[in-house]
Amino acid sequence: KTGIMTTMSAANMMMRGGIIMSRRSLVACSSAASRSLSTLPSRYDVATQLHAHQTTNYNHQRHHLFSTKTRRRRRGGASLSNDRDLSPQQFLSVANDLLDKVESSVLKLKNNNEGIEVTRHPASSGSTSDADGSDRQHLGQLEIKVPSIEGPYEGGTYMLTINADNNVALQCLSGNFTYVYNSVTSEWVGQEDGHSLLGILTRDWIRQCHGVPDF
């Protein structure tokens, strides 16, 4: 009996020891988990970091956009020079091609715009349509008179003039502009800010007339 009681007591002590050890292990695991959880960022911290990241990206994009606008303003501030790669004969050829293209496109829309008059003037000395209003020799002109139609804009005269100093002048609804030829892009661009001649001509045309020209 004594041996049996001793064995049972030893077994009970081992079970109690195991329970105590299990409890201690559980407490240790719980403490470790708490420490791990405490190292995780809270919802507030995550939201703060996300907001800071988004703000940084926004400021970077805003700075890039502002810098781009600044560069564009600086480029537009300087006048563009004539294309020096073109000889006078080459310039006259591409300038006449421009007048041919505009004249052909407008004539296609003549039936849709009653009263339009299209006149091609040969090279001669006389008043040009430059913004400064100076009188000097020109190398050819295209004159387009448009009547008034229903809408906010009245009729008027478009004048496309080839000047002797290798540029083209345009008189249109938006005003008077001077253009130079860009041989790289094969486009006529504004001497002051680089805008497209055919672009502004198309915009003004659809304001005053019917149809869209295929310049």
Side-chain angles (χ1 to χ4, degrees), residues 109-180:
L109 300 174
K110 193 172 182 179
N111 293 334
N112 299 329
N113 298 274
E114 185 178 357
I116 283 184
E117 299 179 11
V118 181
T119 307
R120 187 73 171 263
H121 300 286
S124 64
S125 60
S127 177
T128 68
S129 56
D130 282 352
D132 58 5
S134 59
D135 294 340
R136 56 182 174 178
Q137 181 183 8
H138 66 75
L139 304 179
Q141 283 184 329
L142 176 64
E143 182 180 7
I144 305 170
K145 294 182 179 181
V146 298
S148 298
I149 61 174
E150 295 180 1
Y153 302 102
E154 298 181 354
T157 301
Y158 291 78
M159 187 77 76
L160 200 54
T161 304
I162 304 174
N163 292 324
D165 50 355
N166 283 22
N167 61 52
V168 168
L170 172 65
Q171 173 186 322
C172 59
L173 179 64
S174 295
N176 298 333
F177 304 96
T178 303
Y179 297 87
V180 294

Side-chain angles (χ1 to χ4, degrees), residues 74-88:
R74 288 175 181 174
R75 284 201 299 267
S79 297
L80 301 177
S81 60
N82 297 327
D83 197 324
R84 298 180 179 178
D85 295 334
L86 296 179
S87 66

Side-chain angles (χ1 to χ4, degrees), residues 56-69:
T56 301
N57 286 342
Y58 169 77
N59 290 334
H60 175 72
Q61 294 174 358
R62 183 174 180 271
H63 173 73
H64 174 71
L65 180 61
F66 176 78
S67 300
T68 302
K69 287 183 177 180

